Amino acid sequence: MVYQPPPPPPPQPEYQPSPPRKSLNRRGIIILVVSLVLSLIVVGVAGGEVYMRHKIKECITSSFSQIGSNVDVGLSAKPVLLQLLTGKLDYVTIESKESSTGTVNGLGIDAKINGIKTDNGATDSAKAVVTWSAEGMLQTLQQQSFGQLISSLETNNDGTIKISFVGDIATATVRVFVENDTLKLQTVDASFFGMGIDNSVVDNILSTINENLSSGNMPFGLKAKAVALDSKGLTLGLEGKNWTPSDQPPASTTPTTTTAGPTNSGALSPDAPRKVTSCG
């Protein structure tokens, strides 16, 4: 047998270096830069929106702090920055459930103010529902100088409030109604064992109720439209339309004992629109 040498190994392929990476062309660079700028703008706008929304809600909450500590303020879903550019807030909602405001207990409000101009506080329209529980009304009256005389209070479906003094030895019945966009209180009966009692006590009660349900000096043109009573308390409906701050009557320090005229306090402060305007 003749020796056969092994076949030679197959030839190795020549080294092929990897192709060089292509540098970004001008168009790619422009697209990258534009994308980055747009991302920063989106992040900035989103951050500004969150900040402004929080700032305005916090400011309005402070403006309406007189109606209670638990005030919930809401804004429309439309971006606040866009609303500010148009010079008008679509709407603001204000809700406070039976809060205590120091001398007033059990007073609640659910309001919506539409079309608030950021330059002068003028509004297109407003609606509000004010509630006052019978228990809160009693506690509020009992905190007054004459309050030690009051033993109980009942709110009735017939639109009256019955107040009892010193263990029911004396009573006063007050009718609550709305007339000419104004809340009115009228004494139906006040007797002590069937005999008349001092009118000054009843007058003071009417004045106290007037102060906290005054529609004559409420902001945003809110006027009394309807009132209802039941065993739980009182509900007052208010509406306003096309209001400007110049329409606000000056506050009076002398409340009337027969109608809910202008006073320095109420479910909503007449100073609130000025504070809201400064929130923008």
Side-chain angles (χ1 to χ4, degrees), residues 133-277:
S133 67
E135 181 180 0
M137 195 180 302
L138 173 62
Q139 293 171 352
T140 300
L141 292 174
Q142 288 178 332
Q143 294 180 62
Q144 309 305 311
S145 58
F146 54 85
Q148 67 274 12
L149 299 174
I150 301 175
S151 55
S152 66
L153 180 147
E154 297 177 4
T155 49
N156 305 304
N157 294 328
D158 61 359
T160 62
I161 302 173
K162 181 181 178 181
I163 303 165
S164 299
F165 303 87
V166 195
D168 295 340
I169 63 173
T171 62
T173 302
V174 176
R175 186 167 71 94
V176 185
F177 60 102
V178 170
E179 185 176 89
N180 297 327
D181 294 338
T182 303
L183 183 72
K184 295 189 175 183
L185 306 177
Q186 181 182 63
T187 303
V188 177
D189 176 69
S191 60
F192 177 77
F193 282 126
M195 300 175 60
I197 61 175
D198 188 354
N199 286 336
S200 64
V201 176
V202 179
D203 289 345
N204 285 330
I205 291 173
L206 298 182
S207 297
T208 301
I209 297 175
N210 282 337
E211 276 190 26
N212 298 289
L213 291 177
S214 172
S215 60
N217 199 34
M218 282 191 177
F220 310 115
L222 288 169
K223 300 294 183 182
K225 296 298 180 180
V227 64
L229 288 87
D230 57 24
S231 59
K232 295 181 180 180
L234 177 149
T235 301
L236 175 64
L238 304 133
E239 292 183 11
K241 191 175 182 180
N242 298 327
W243 178 86
T244 60
S246 60
D247 298 332
Q248 191 68 39
S252 170
T253 57
T254 308
T256 174
T257 59
T258 56
T259 63
T263 62
N264 278 330
S265 62
L268 287 174
S269 167
D271 193 41
R274 180 184 62 80
K275 295 181 180 179
V276 170
T277 303

Side-chain angles (χ1 to χ4, degrees), residues 9-15:
Q12 297 293 326
E14 294 183 4
Y15 172 74

Side-chain angles (χ1 to χ4, degrees), residues 1 3-4 30 62 65 86 97 153 171 180 197 201 219 244:
M1 172 181 258
Y3 173 76
Q4 295 291 334
I30 293 175
S62 175
S65 60
T86 63
K97 295 296 184 183
L153 180 147
T171 62
N180 297 327
I197 61 175
V201 176
T244 60

